[in-house]
Amino acid sequence: MKHNDLHILFACSELTPWVKTGGLADVCGSLPRALQQHNVDVRVVIPGYKDVLDRIQPPAFVALLNLPLGTVTLCQSTLNGVDVLLVNHELFTNRTGNPYMSDADRPWPDNALRFALFSQAVCEIANRASETEWQPDLVHCHDWQTGLIPALLSLQIDAPATVFTIHNLAYQGNITMGEYHRLHLPEELLVQDGLEFWGQASFIKGGIAYADRINTVSPTYAEEITDREFGCGMEGLLLHRRGSLSGILNGIDLQTWNPATDQHIACNYTADTIELKAKNKIDLQKQLNLAPEPDALLFGVISRLAIQKGIDLVIEAFKKIESDTPDQNFQLALLGSGDSTLQAQLEELADAHPKRVAVVFDFDEKLSHKIEAGADVFLMPSRYEPCGLNQMYSHRYGTLPLVTRVGGLADTVNDYTDGLDSANGFVIESADATLLGSEMLNAVERFRDKAGWHQMQRNAMSADYSWAESASHYIRMYSDILEERNVI
Ligand code: ADP
């Protein structure tokens, strides 16, 4: 089978660098390009958000699509050589800011309508009987915003195949039955084996129940979500669909995240010139008004401020260390946005330790690169982590991640006790402030052994996180489905 026999439509709600709230955007920005490099014919479709339209050249008009929920204008642009279709409708084109949340950090009240409309548009593009001149053999959907697509396509005759990738099972797009009815979505989907979920209608369940294949973004998370602890109520269905469920570890964009060429950082370096990394630490300390101490271990955090990410544990661990064993030689640089309570607690911590703790509440791409380059250890004490990207970025920058043994973190980080041949970070067994605090102190201790530290940095920097490997797994999955359906 030749890869150029594969015609794939990527349906997603975020796309780096145009619109990003998290890892989903990075995957949808990178994977299509990697697939194209394997000669797959791939196009991406996203909502035409105002902020996106404002930053790109005016896209070309393709068609008007009359859909049950409204009329949308389909336009086309390109990103890094990949064709991107934009679904323009005032629900997207008239609203600035975060794609899902208002400035008050609340979901937009009409999210169900917005993403139901987007899903209808994707189905229309995918419909092989439609007027659009290009039709995919397979629609690859991502997260709850696109979960309705496999469900709606299941009602069409001769519809393309579907893959549903779960980037985060906790965000489900659940709505009341009343709201579902107000959207006039098909009644026959609202069944126990379909969208119905504990008396509600669930968009993400559409992807899980109806897609030909489901995957998550790391092998360990694929296992974890069949269990009650991580399954978010979907574990029964996921267990039932286990034969169609797999985990494919994300790659990262090796051009964007490359300490040898990174334009955002003070001093470029490689594994062979790792001593230059220290200049980035000083630069970061200066920028954030931290004490300019090269020997103080600098912990970095870049994160959505959410309970998932264990930011509360960082605060608790820091306070616990301060009360039990004060004046340890470490600092904390945190960049994040999200939960206002966590924000207030972090601000308090920074006020109490102005030369040792710096917090920036923003979404700042440039500063995120500076933290990756300047920190010694990157903290990710997540309660669950479908894949996680920052631990892989950290490895690239010789910054050792300290993580919980969950999801993609378990698949990528080897603890220093695994032996210096493979150690590339620090791993705690569960998301717990006491464990985190003692592992932070452990890192401070290990930091004094420069030879051992450099070996771990070399191990970290030699990891291969290119998209080529992940892309070949996706191609195998697409091919298997289409061969089963006798499409190719
Ligand atoms: P998630 O998708 O759960 O938020 P990931 O680790 O998969 O977590 O991806 C998060 C991505 O978003 C990374 O690229 C990270 O660097 C970026 N990011 C998160 N918060 C910020 C921020 N405040 N400023 C800049 N980049 C951020």
Side-chain angles (χ1 to χ4, degrees), residues 14 16 20-27 143 167-168 171 217 250 257 301-306 308-309 334-338 360-369 371-372 378 380 382 384-393 409:
E14 298 183 31
T16 294
K20 167 168 168 175
T21 72
L24 166 68
D26 289 353
V27 175
D143 272 354
H167 298 259
N168 195 332
Y171 298 87
V217 285
N250 283 337
W257 297 96
V301 179
I302 305 160
S303 183
R304 283 186 293 117
L305 300 181
Q308 174 200 343
K309 301 290 182 180
L334 179 143
L335 166 65
S337 50
V360 179
F361 304 124
D362 195 2
F363 199 95
D364 185 338
E365 204 73 40
K366 185 176 163 76
L367 182 56
S368 74
H369 285 245
I371 293 177
E372 284 295 1
F378 193 93
M380 287 181 90
S382 306
Y384 68 93
E385 197 57 78
C387 177
L389 295 173
N390 279 104
Q391 83 280 15
M392 299 193 269
Y393 301 155
L409 302 174

Side-chain angles (χ1 to χ4, degrees), residues 1-44:
M1 199 254 342
K2 295 198 300 297
H3 295 163
N4 50 9
D5 289 338
L6 295 173
H7 308 285
I8 310 292
L9 179 62
F10 246 67
C12 48
S13 57
E14 298 183 31
L15 186 64
T16 294
W18 288 354
V19 48
K20 167 168 168 175
T21 72
L24 166 68
D26 289 353
V27 175
C28 296
S30 298
L31 180 55
R33 211 172 353 145
L35 292 168
Q36 205 172 55
Q37 280 158 6
H38 284 76
N39 295 321
V40 174
D41 173 19
V42 57
R43 298 185 190 189
V44 178

